[in-house]
Short mmCIF file of all heavy atoms in Angstrom, two decimals:
data_model
loop_
_atom_site.label_atom_id
_atom_site.label_comp_id
_atom_site.label_asym_id
_atom_site.label_seq_id
_atom_site.Cartn_x
_atom_site.Cartn_y
_atom_site.Cartn_z
N MET I 409 0.82 -1.15 -0.02
CA MET I 409 -0.02 -0.04 0.00
C MET I 409 0.88 1.34 0.02
O MET I 409 1.87 1.33 0.73
CB MET I 409 -0.91 0.08 1.23
CG MET I 409 -1.87 -1.12 1.27
SD MET I 409 -3.33 -0.69 0.37
CE MET I 409 -4.52 -1.91 1.08
N ALA I 410 0.57 2.24 -0.83
CA ALA I 410 1.29 3.42 -0.92
C ALA I 410 0.36 4.65 -0.73
O ALA I 410 -0.85 4.56 -0.93
CB ALA I 410 2.00 3.48 -2.23
N ASP I 411 0.97 5.72 -0.33
CA ASP I 411 0.26 6.96 -0.16
C ASP I 411 -0.30 7.42 -1.53
O ASP I 411 0.26 7.15 -2.54
CB ASP I 411 1.12 8.05 0.42
CG ASP I 411 1.42 7.83 1.81
OD1 ASP I 411 0.68 7.06 2.57
OD2 ASP I 411 2.41 8.46 2.37
N VAL I 412 -1.39 8.21 -1.45
CA VAL I 412 -2.02 8.69 -2.68
C VAL I 412 -1.34 10.04 -2.99
O VAL I 412 -1.42 11.01 -2.27
CB VAL I 412 -3.49 8.97 -2.45
CG1 VAL I 412 -4.18 9.47 -3.73
CG2 VAL I 412 -4.18 7.68 -1.98
N ASN I 413 -0.43 10.03 -4.05
CA ASN I 413 0.06 11.28 -4.53
C ASN I 413 0.27 11.06 -6.06
O ASN I 413 0.24 9.94 -6.59
CB ASN I 413 1.32 11.69 -3.82
CG ASN I 413 2.37 10.58 -3.82
OD1 ASN I 413 2.65 9.94 -4.83
ND2 ASN I 413 2.98 10.28 -2.66
N THR I 414 0.68 12.13 -6.73
CA THR I 414 0.84 12.07 -8.14
C THR I 414 1.91 11.08 -8.60
O THR I 414 1.84 10.48 -9.70
CB THR I 414 1.04 13.42 -8.78
OG1 THR I 414 2.02 14.09 -7.99
CG2 THR I 414 -0.26 14.30 -8.78
N LYS I 415 2.87 10.93 -7.77
CA LYS I 415 4.01 10.08 -8.04
C LYS I 415 3.60 8.61 -8.04
O LYS I 415 4.02 7.75 -8.95
CB LYS I 415 5.14 10.31 -7.05
CG LYS I 415 6.36 9.46 -7.31
CD LYS I 415 7.51 9.92 -6.27
CE LYS I 415 8.44 8.74 -6.00
NZ LYS I 415 7.81 7.85 -4.92
N ASN I 416 2.76 8.22 -7.15
CA ASN I 416 2.27 6.77 -7.06
C ASN I 416 1.14 6.54 -8.01
O ASN I 416 0.77 5.35 -8.19
CB ASN I 416 1.96 6.53 -5.62
CG ASN I 416 3.10 6.40 -4.67
OD1 ASN I 416 4.16 6.17 -5.19
ND2 ASN I 416 2.89 6.55 -3.48
N LEU I 417 0.47 7.56 -8.58
CA LEU I 417 -0.63 7.41 -9.43
C LEU I 417 -0.02 7.04 -10.78
O LEU I 417 0.19 7.80 -11.67
CB LEU I 417 -1.34 8.73 -9.51
CG LEU I 417 -2.83 8.63 -9.69
CD1 LEU I 417 -3.56 8.11 -8.48
CD2 LEU I 417 -3.47 10.05 -9.96
N SER I 418 0.28 5.75 -10.99
CA SER I 418 0.91 5.29 -12.17
C SER I 418 0.04 4.23 -12.91
O SER I 418 -0.58 3.40 -12.27
CB SER I 418 2.31 4.84 -11.91
OG SER I 418 2.23 3.74 -11.01
N THR I 419 0.17 4.20 -14.21
CA THR I 419 -0.54 3.22 -15.04
C THR I 419 -0.20 1.80 -14.59
O THR I 419 0.96 1.51 -14.37
CB THR I 419 -0.19 3.54 -16.57
OG1 THR I 419 -0.48 4.87 -16.82
CG2 THR I 419 -1.01 2.66 -17.45
N GLY I 420 -1.18 0.98 -14.46
CA GLY I 420 -0.93 -0.36 -14.08
C GLY I 420 -1.08 -0.66 -12.55
O GLY I 420 -1.22 -1.76 -12.06
N ALA I 421 -0.93 0.52 -11.80
CA ALA I 421 -1.20 0.37 -10.29
C ALA I 421 -2.68 0.17 -10.02
O ALA I 421 -3.52 0.45 -10.84
CB ALA I 421 -0.60 1.57 -9.55
N ARG I 422 -2.92 -0.36 -8.85
CA ARG I 422 -4.30 -0.52 -8.43
C ARG I 422 -4.71 0.50 -7.42
O ARG I 422 -3.95 0.75 -6.50
CB ARG I 422 -4.61 -1.92 -8.00
CG ARG I 422 -4.88 -2.90 -9.06
CD ARG I 422 -4.71 -4.34 -8.73
NE ARG I 422 -3.33 -4.53 -8.26
CZ ARG I 422 -3.00 -5.60 -7.44
NH1 ARG I 422 -3.87 -6.48 -7.16
NH2 ARG I 422 -1.68 -5.74 -7.03
N ALA I 423 -5.89 1.03 -7.48
CA ALA I 423 -6.33 2.11 -6.66
C ALA I 423 -7.41 1.52 -5.72
O ALA I 423 -8.36 1.01 -6.22
CB ALA I 423 -6.80 3.31 -7.30
N VAL I 424 -7.34 1.70 -4.45
CA VAL I 424 -8.29 1.34 -3.52
C VAL I 424 -9.13 2.60 -3.27
O VAL I 424 -8.62 3.62 -2.76
CB VAL I 424 -7.82 0.85 -2.16
CG1 VAL I 424 -9.01 0.43 -1.17
CG2 VAL I 424 -6.87 -0.34 -2.34
N MET I 425 -10.45 2.57 -3.77
CA MET I 425 -11.28 3.80 -3.63
C MET I 425 -11.90 3.91 -2.28
O MET I 425 -12.17 2.95 -1.55
CB MET I 425 -12.37 3.74 -4.78
CG MET I 425 -11.86 3.47 -6.07
SD MET I 425 -10.67 4.75 -6.68
CE MET I 425 -11.81 6.03 -7.19
N LYS I 426 -12.19 5.22 -1.92
CA LYS I 426 -12.91 5.43 -0.63
C LYS I 426 -14.29 4.97 -0.73
O LYS I 426 -14.92 4.41 0.19
CB LYS I 426 -12.91 6.89 -0.31
CG LYS I 426 -11.43 7.38 0.16
CD LYS I 426 -11.49 8.87 0.45
CE LYS I 426 -10.06 9.34 0.78
NZ LYS I 426 -9.90 10.79 0.72
N LYS I 427 -14.92 5.16 -1.89
CA LYS I 427 -16.30 4.75 -2.08
C LYS I 427 -16.38 3.44 -2.81
O LYS I 427 -15.65 3.17 -3.74
CB LYS I 427 -17.06 5.83 -2.92
CG LYS I 427 -17.85 6.84 -2.14
CD LYS I 427 -18.75 7.63 -3.14
CE LYS I 427 -19.51 8.73 -2.34
NZ LYS I 427 -20.15 9.55 -3.32
N ILE I 428 -17.32 2.51 -2.39
CA ILE I 428 -17.44 1.28 -3.02
C ILE I 428 -18.25 1.44 -4.29
O ILE I 428 -19.34 2.13 -4.24
CB ILE I 428 -18.01 0.25 -2.11
CG1 ILE I 428 -17.06 -0.05 -0.89
CG2 ILE I 428 -18.36 -1.01 -2.77
CD1 ILE I 428 -17.56 -0.91 0.16
N HIS I 429 -17.87 0.86 -5.38
CA HIS I 429 -18.58 0.97 -6.68
C HIS I 429 -19.91 0.20 -6.49
O HIS I 429 -19.96 -0.77 -5.73
CB HIS I 429 -17.72 0.33 -7.73
CG HIS I 429 -18.14 0.73 -9.15
ND1 HIS I 429 -18.48 -0.19 -10.10
CD2 HIS I 429 -18.27 1.96 -9.72
CE1 HIS I 429 -18.82 0.53 -11.23
NE2 HIS I 429 -18.63 1.77 -10.98
N PRO I 430 -20.97 0.54 -7.21
CA PRO I 430 -22.27 -0.18 -7.14
C PRO I 430 -22.12 -1.68 -7.29
O PRO I 430 -22.91 -2.47 -6.80
CB PRO I 430 -23.10 0.38 -8.26
CG PRO I 430 -22.56 1.78 -8.47
CD PRO I 430 -21.09 1.72 -8.11
N CYS I 431 -21.08 -2.21 -8.01
CA CYS I 431 -20.92 -3.61 -8.15
C CYS I 431 -20.35 -4.25 -6.93
O CYS I 431 -20.26 -5.49 -6.86
CB CYS I 431 -20.04 -3.95 -9.37
SG CYS I 431 -18.32 -3.52 -9.07
N GLY I 432 -19.89 -3.53 -6.01
CA GLY I 432 -19.45 -4.07 -4.70
C GLY I 432 -17.89 -4.09 -4.59
O GLY I 432 -17.41 -4.52 -3.50
N SER I 433 -17.20 -3.65 -5.58
CA SER I 433 -15.72 -3.61 -5.55
C SER I 433 -15.30 -2.13 -5.26
O SER I 433 -15.89 -1.19 -5.66
CB SER I 433 -15.21 -4.11 -6.89
OG SER I 433 -13.72 -3.90 -6.97
N ASN I 434 -14.22 -2.09 -4.51
CA ASN I 434 -13.58 -0.73 -4.40
C ASN I 434 -12.10 -0.68 -4.96
O ASN I 434 -11.31 0.13 -4.62
CB ASN I 434 -13.53 -0.26 -2.92
CG ASN I 434 -12.65 -1.05 -2.05
OD1 ASN I 434 -12.23 -2.16 -2.37
ND2 ASN I 434 -12.35 -0.46 -0.86
N LEU I 435 -11.82 -1.68 -5.82
CA LEU I 435 -10.54 -1.83 -6.34
C LEU I 435 -10.59 -1.50 -7.81
O LEU I 435 -11.36 -2.14 -8.58
CB LEU I 435 -10.00 -3.28 -6.17
CG LEU I 435 -8.50 -3.49 -6.13
CD1 LEU I 435 -7.78 -2.72 -5.03
CD2 LEU I 435 -8.23 -4.95 -5.88
N PHE I 436 -9.74 -0.49 -8.26
CA PHE I 436 -9.72 -0.03 -9.69
C PHE I 436 -8.28 -0.10 -10.16
O PHE I 436 -7.42 0.13 -9.41
CB PHE I 436 -10.20 1.40 -9.73
CG PHE I 436 -11.81 1.54 -9.67
CD1 PHE I 436 -12.38 1.28 -8.45
CD2 PHE I 436 -12.41 1.95 -10.76
CE1 PHE I 436 -13.80 1.43 -8.38
CE2 PHE I 436 -13.88 2.10 -10.67
CZ PHE I 436 -14.46 1.83 -9.43
N LEU I 437 -8.24 -0.41 -11.45
CA LEU I 437 -6.93 -0.40 -12.10
C LEU I 437 -6.71 1.06 -12.77
O LEU I 437 -7.62 1.47 -13.47
CB LEU I 437 -6.90 -1.48 -13.23
CG LEU I 437 -5.60 -1.60 -14.08
CD1 LEU I 437 -4.46 -2.09 -13.29
CD2 LEU I 437 -5.87 -2.47 -15.23
N ILE I 438 -5.61 1.60 -12.62
CA ILE I 438 -5.33 2.91 -13.23
C ILE I 438 -4.81 2.60 -14.61
O ILE I 438 -3.84 1.97 -14.88
CB ILE I 438 -4.18 3.64 -12.39
CG1 ILE I 438 -4.68 3.89 -10.95
CG2 ILE I 438 -3.82 4.98 -13.07
CD1 ILE I 438 -3.65 4.37 -9.97
N THR I 439 -5.57 3.08 -15.60
CA THR I 439 -5.23 2.85 -17.03
C THR I 439 -4.70 4.05 -17.70
O THR I 439 -4.15 3.94 -18.80
CB THR I 439 -6.49 2.30 -17.78
OG1 THR I 439 -7.46 3.22 -17.78
CG2 THR I 439 -6.88 0.99 -17.19
N ARG I 440 -4.84 5.25 -17.16
CA ARG I 440 -4.30 6.41 -17.70
C ARG I 440 -4.08 7.47 -16.58
O ARG I 440 -4.91 7.63 -15.69
CB ARG I 440 -5.29 7.03 -18.79
CG ARG I 440 -4.59 8.00 -19.64
CD ARG I 440 -5.60 8.52 -20.75
NE ARG I 440 -5.93 9.95 -20.51
CZ ARG I 440 -6.71 10.59 -21.18
NH1 ARG I 440 -7.44 10.03 -22.11
NH2 ARG I 440 -6.94 11.84 -20.90
N THR I 441 -3.04 8.23 -16.72
CA THR I 441 -2.82 9.27 -15.78
C THR I 441 -2.48 10.58 -16.52
O THR I 441 -2.28 10.64 -17.69
CB THR I 441 -1.58 8.93 -14.79
OG1 THR I 441 -0.47 8.83 -15.67
CG2 THR I 441 -1.76 7.71 -13.98
N GLY I 442 -2.51 11.68 -15.77
CA GLY I 442 -2.30 12.93 -16.31
C GLY I 442 -3.21 13.93 -15.69
O GLY I 442 -3.66 13.80 -14.58
N ALA I 443 -3.77 14.91 -16.49
CA ALA I 443 -4.70 15.85 -15.99
C ALA I 443 -6.02 15.21 -15.66
O ALA I 443 -6.70 15.58 -14.75
CB ALA I 443 -4.92 16.98 -17.03
N ASP I 444 -6.33 14.10 -16.43
CA ASP I 444 -7.44 13.27 -16.17
C ASP I 444 -6.86 11.80 -15.88
O ASP I 444 -5.93 11.41 -16.57
CB ASP I 444 -8.39 13.23 -17.38
CG ASP I 444 -9.13 14.58 -17.59
OD1 ASP I 444 -9.73 14.97 -16.64
OD2 ASP I 444 -9.02 15.00 -18.69
N VAL I 445 -7.60 11.19 -14.93
CA VAL I 445 -7.14 9.90 -14.61
C VAL I 445 -8.20 8.92 -14.93
O VAL I 445 -9.40 9.16 -14.69
CB VAL I 445 -6.86 9.81 -13.08
CG1 VAL I 445 -6.51 8.43 -12.68
CG2 VAL I 445 -5.75 10.77 -12.63
N LYS I 446 -7.90 7.86 -15.65
CA LYS I 446 -8.81 6.80 -16.06
C LYS I 446 -8.68 5.60 -15.22
O LYS I 446 -7.54 5.13 -15.04
CB LYS I 446 -8.53 6.47 -17.57
CG LYS I 446 -9.70 6.16 -18.38
CD LYS I 446 -9.28 5.96 -19.82
CE LYS I 446 -10.43 6.02 -20.84
NZ LYS I 446 -9.88 5.75 -22.11
N LEU I 447 -9.75 5.14 -14.65
CA LEU I 447 -9.78 4.00 -13.81
C LEU I 447 -10.74 2.96 -14.18
O LEU I 447 -11.95 3.24 -14.60
CB LEU I 447 -10.17 4.45 -12.36
CG LEU I 447 -9.29 5.56 -11.70
CD1 LEU I 447 -10.04 6.35 -10.70
CD2 LEU I 447 -8.08 4.89 -10.95
N GLN I 448 -10.37 1.70 -14.15
CA GLN I 448 -11.11 0.62 -14.62
C GLN I 448 -11.55 -0.22 -13.33
O GLN I 448 -10.67 -0.68 -12.63
CB GLN I 448 -10.51 -0.26 -15.61
CG GLN I 448 -11.43 -1.37 -16.13
CD GLN I 448 -10.86 -2.13 -17.32
OE1 GLN I 448 -9.68 -2.21 -17.51
NE2 GLN I 448 -11.72 -2.73 -18.07
N CYS I 449 -12.82 -0.43 -13.10
CA CYS I 449 -13.24 -1.19 -11.96
C CYS I 449 -12.88 -2.67 -12.08
O CYS I 449 -13.08 -3.23 -13.28
CB CYS I 449 -14.76 -1.10 -11.75
SG CYS I 449 -15.41 -2.05 -10.44
N LEU I 450 -12.28 -3.24 -11.10
CA LEU I 450 -11.87 -4.65 -11.28
C LEU I 450 -12.99 -5.60 -10.89
O LEU I 450 -12.86 -6.78 -11.00
CB LEU I 450 -10.60 -4.93 -10.38
CG LEU I 450 -9.34 -4.24 -10.86
CD1 LEU I 450 -8.16 -4.38 -9.88
CD2 LEU I 450 -8.92 -4.75 -12.23
N GLY I 451 -14.11 -4.96 -10.49
CA GLY I 451 -15.26 -5.86 -10.23
C GLY I 451 -16.14 -6.07 -11.47
O GLY I 451 -16.50 -7.17 -11.81
N CYS I 452 -16.38 -4.98 -12.21
CA CYS I 452 -17.33 -4.99 -13.35
C CYS I 452 -16.71 -4.49 -14.60
O CYS I 452 -17.44 -4.36 -15.70
CB CYS I 452 -18.64 -4.25 -13.01
SG CYS I 452 -18.37 -2.50 -12.77
N ASN I 453 -15.48 -4.10 -14.61
CA ASN I 453 -14.74 -3.57 -15.81
C ASN I 453 -15.25 -2.20 -16.33
O ASN I 453 -14.81 -1.71 -17.33
CB ASN I 453 -14.84 -4.49 -16.98
CG ASN I 453 -13.94 -5.80 -16.73
OD1 ASN I 453 -12.97 -5.70 -15.94
ND2 ASN I 453 -14.40 -6.89 -17.17
N HIS I 454 -16.09 -1.52 -15.52
CA HIS I 454 -16.59 -0.21 -15.87
C HIS I 454 -15.45 0.75 -15.78
O HIS I 454 -14.59 0.68 -14.90
CB HIS I 454 -17.72 0.15 -14.92
CG HIS I 454 -18.40 1.52 -15.19
ND1 HIS I 454 -19.32 1.62 -16.19
CD2 HIS I 454 -18.24 2.73 -14.59
CE1 HIS I 454 -19.74 2.85 -16.24
NE2 HIS I 454 -19.06 3.56 -15.31
N ILE I 455 -15.40 1.72 -16.78
CA ILE I 455 -14.29 2.70 -16.82
C ILE I 455 -14.82 4.06 -16.40
O ILE I 455 -15.93 4.50 -16.83
CB ILE I 455 -13.72 2.73 -18.21
CG1 ILE I 455 -12.91 1.42 -18.39
CG2 ILE I 455 -12.72 3.92 -18.28
CD1 ILE I 455 -12.41 1.24 -19.88
N ILE I 456 -14.11 4.69 -15.44
CA ILE I 456 -14.44 6.08 -15.03
C ILE I 456 -13.34 6.97 -15.27
O ILE I 456 -12.11 6.56 -15.37
CB ILE I 456 -14.89 6.08 -13.54
CG1 ILE I 456 -13.83 5.63 -12.56
CG2 ILE I 456 -16.18 5.34 -13.29
CD1 ILE I 456 -14.12 5.99 -11.14
N MET I 457 -13.57 8.21 -15.49
CA MET I 457 -12.55 9.25 -15.68
C MET I 457 -12.82 10.34 -14.72
O MET I 457 -13.86 10.87 -14.57
CB MET I 457 -12.70 9.79 -17.15
CG MET I 457 -11.59 10.65 -17.53
SD MET I 457 -10.51 9.91 -18.75
CE MET I 457 -11.21 10.50 -20.22
N LEU I 458 -11.75 10.61 -13.96
CA LEU I 458 -11.82 11.74 -12.95
C LEU I 458 -10.71 12.71 -13.19
O LEU I 458 -9.60 12.31 -13.66
CB LEU I 458 -11.63 11.09 -11.60
CG LEU I 458 -12.61 10.05 -11.08
CD1 LEU I 458 -12.02 9.48 -9.76
CD2 LEU I 458 -13.93 10.70 -10.86
N ASP I 459 -11.00 14.03 -12.92
CA ASP I 459 -9.77 14.85 -13.05
C ASP I 459 -8.88 14.63 -11.88
O ASP I 459 -9.22 13.93 -10.95
CB ASP I 459 -10.21 16.42 -13.20
CG ASP I 459 -10.94 16.88 -11.82
OD1 ASP I 459 -10.32 16.76 -10.85
OD2 ASP I 459 -12.03 17.36 -11.99
N LEU I 460 -7.61 15.02 -12.06
CA LEU I 460 -6.49 14.63 -11.15
C LEU I 460 -6.89 14.90 -9.71
O LEU I 460 -6.70 14.08 -8.82
CB LEU I 460 -5.23 15.38 -11.60
CG LEU I 460 -4.00 14.98 -10.72
CD1 LEU I 460 -3.70 13.45 -10.74
CD2 LEU I 460 -2.77 15.71 -11.23
N ASN I 461 -7.34 16.21 -9.45
CA ASN I 461 -7.73 16.56 -8.00
C ASN I 461 -8.74 15.62 -7.40
O ASN I 461 -8.75 15.16 -6.31
CB ASN I 461 -8.16 18.01 -7.98
CG ASN I 461 -6.99 18.90 -7.96
OD1 ASN I 461 -5.90 18.57 -7.58
ND2 ASN I 461 -7.28 20.12 -8.39
N LYS I 462 -9.78 15.30 -8.23
CA LYS I 462 -10.90 14.45 -7.78
C LYS I 462 -10.34 13.06 -7.59
O LYS I 462 -10.74 12.33 -6.56
CB LYS I 462 -12.01 14.46 -8.77
CG LYS I 462 -13.28 13.89 -8.13
CD LYS I 462 -14.55 14.25 -8.84
CE LYS I 462 -15.73 13.70 -7.98
NZ LYS I 462 -16.95 13.56 -8.80
N ALA I 463 -9.48 12.59 -8.41
CA ALA I 463 -8.95 11.24 -8.31
C ALA I 463 -8.07 11.15 -7.04
O ALA I 463 -8.32 10.17 -6.23
CB ALA I 463 -8.04 10.91 -9.53
N LEU I 464 -7.33 12.16 -6.76
CA LEU I 464 -6.58 12.07 -5.50
C LEU I 464 -7.36 12.16 -4.26
O LEU I 464 -7.02 11.58 -3.22
CB LEU I 464 -5.59 13.37 -5.50
CG LEU I 464 -4.47 13.35 -6.54
CD1 LEU I 464 -3.72 14.65 -6.54
CD2 LEU I 464 -3.40 12.17 -6.30
N LYS I 465 -8.53 12.79 -4.40
CA LYS I 465 -9.49 12.76 -3.24
C LYS I 465 -10.26 11.49 -3.06
O LYS I 465 -10.70 11.14 -2.02
CB LYS I 465 -10.43 13.98 -3.39
CG LYS I 465 -9.81 15.25 -2.88
CD LYS I 465 -10.90 16.34 -2.97
CE LYS I 465 -10.25 17.77 -3.06
NZ LYS I 465 -11.03 18.69 -3.81
N SER I 466 -10.48 10.79 -4.20
CA SER I 466 -11.38 9.65 -4.17
C SER I 466 -10.63 8.33 -3.85
O SER I 466 -11.32 7.32 -3.46
CB SER I 466 -12.04 9.48 -5.54
OG SER I 466 -12.73 10.75 -5.95
N ILE I 467 -9.35 8.34 -4.00
CA ILE I 467 -8.58 7.14 -3.82
C ILE I 467 -8.07 7.07 -2.29
O ILE I 467 -7.51 8.03 -1.76
CB ILE I 467 -7.34 7.12 -4.74
CG1 ILE I 467 -7.90 7.04 -6.16
CG2 ILE I 467 -6.47 5.91 -4.47
CD1 ILE I 467 -6.83 7.28 -7.26
N LYS I 468 -8.23 5.96 -1.71
CA LYS I 468 -7.83 5.74 -0.34
C LYS I 468 -6.33 5.40 -0.29
O LYS I 468 -5.59 5.87 0.54
CB LYS I 468 -8.73 4.63 0.39
CG LYS I 468 -8.46 4.59 1.82
CD LYS I 468 -9.73 3.87 2.44
CE LYS I 468 -9.59 2.35 2.24
NZ LYS I 468 -10.65 1.62 2.93
N SER I 469 -5.92 4.41 -1.04
CA SER I 469 -4.57 4.05 -1.13
C SER I 469 -4.24 3.33 -2.44
O SER I 469 -5.15 3.05 -3.22
CB SER I 469 -4.23 3.07 0.02
OG SER I 469 -4.99 1.91 -0.07
N ILE I 470 -2.97 3.26 -2.74
CA ILE I 470 -2.61 2.68 -4.05
C ILE I 470 -1.66 1.42 -3.79
O ILE I 470 -0.83 1.45 -2.96
CB ILE I 470 -1.80 3.76 -4.84
CG1 ILE I 470 -2.74 4.90 -5.20
CG2 ILE I 470 -1.12 3.19 -6.14
CD1 ILE I 470 -2.12 6.07 -5.97
N ILE I 471 -1.96 0.40 -4.61
CA ILE I 471 -1.19 -0.72 -4.52
C ILE I 471 -0.33 -0.76 -5.76
O ILE I 471 -0.80 -0.94 -6.90
CB ILE I 471 -2.11 -2.04 -4.51
CG1 ILE I 471 -3.10 -1.97 -3.44
CG2 ILE I 471 -1.30 -3.34 -4.49
CD1 ILE I 471 -4.24 -2.97 -3.40
N LEU I 472 0.98 -0.67 -5.56
CA LEU I 472 1.90 -0.46 -6.64
C LEU I 472 2.32 -1.93 -7.20
O LEU I 472 2.37 -2.83 -6.48
CB LEU I 472 3.13 0.29 -6.27
CG LEU I 472 2.88 1.80 -5.93
CD1 LEU I 472 4.11 2.41 -5.37
CD2 LEU I 472 2.43 2.57 -7.20
ZN1 ZN T 830 -17.65 -1.99 -10.54
#
């Protein structure tokens, strides 16, 4: 588990979200980083896009 910061927000890492997705999973794969962060739910494969600030606020921890 790593702290949530822009350095650890890297493609291929997994993000543990503060909020649980409607499918019951709170684990997302980071598929794109930058000004917008793309996350894929590992429970249902749904893809969400968050701006960087929102992503940093929504993620609890990162598994590198
Ligand atoms: Zn899901």
Side-chain angles (χ1 to χ4, degrees):
M409 295 277 199
D411 288 342
V412 183
N413 56 46
T414 48
K415 184 175 148 274
N416 287 337
L417 214 66
S418 56
T419 304
R422 278 162 298 160
V424 182
M425 307 301 280
K426 287 178 185 163
K427 264 193 185 170
I428 294 173
H429 200 237
C431 73
S433 171
N434 69 341
L435 205 58
F436 283 68
L437 178 71
I438 300 168
T439 61
R440 195 180 113 181
T441 59
D444 291 304
V445 178
K446 216 175 195 182
L447 298 153
Q448 183 172 24
C449 178
L450 290 173
C452 66
N453 292 328
H454 184 78
I455 290 171
I456 58 167
M457 188 107 94
L458 299 172
D459 65 55
L460 183 58
N461 279 337
K462 193 159 186 203
L464 291 172
K465 277 184 203 150
S466 306
I467 297 169
K468 188 160 79 178
S469 60
I470 292 175
I471 303 167
L472 295 171

